[in-house]
Amino acid sequence: MSEDVGIPESTKRCRSSKPVFWWALIAAPIFLLGTMGSVLGGYGVANAQDKHNDQDFVTSSLDIASTLRLAIQHEQDLVDSTRSFLVGSPHAT
């Protein structure tokens, strides 16, 4: 007895490897394009994030420098005020 007894012809034709070959031929370029698109998209996002981080660093650095200048100015004001007090009141304790 043959294994194919009672199996429709359309099912017998689907058993061949040709449909799998065609699906693989279609799926492979789609897979490659999707992978390349994902990699390029990832690089784009990483570069944008790097630029954003650089801008944040510059902004933070400028804020710190401004705060430091202000603190030094306050220290200088304190020294000047103390000097004026000591000149005006040389016998202060």
Side-chain angles (χ1 to χ4, degrees):
M1 265 195 191
S2 172
E3 289 182 24
D4 293 337
V5 175
I7 298 175
E9 283 297 317
S10 61
T11 304
K12 291 179 188 176
R13 281 182 286 200
C14 288
R15 285 186 179 176
S16 71
S17 63
K18 287 183 182 180
V20 173
F21 171 76
W22 288 110
W23 279 111
L25 195 62
I26 293 170
I30 293 172
F31 174 77
L32 291 174
L33 287 173
T35 302
M36 288 172 44
S38 296
V39 169
L40 292 176
Y43 280 130
V45 169
N47 287 337
Q49 190 64 40
D50 283 346
K51 287 180 184 178
H52 182 71
N53 289 342
D54 288 345
Q55 290 172 348
D56 285 347
F57 177 75
V58 168
T59 302
S60 296
S61 298
L62 291 174
D63 287 344
I64 291 169
S66 175
T67 303
L68 185 58
R69 277 191 210 104
L70 189 60
I72 291 171
Q73 183 63 43
H74 285 302
E75 289 289 327
Q76 188 62 42
D77 291 345
L78 180 63
V79 168
D80 291 342
S81 176
T82 304
R83 185 178 296 139
S84 297
F85 175 77
L86 291 176
V87 168
S89 305
H91 300 294
T93 58

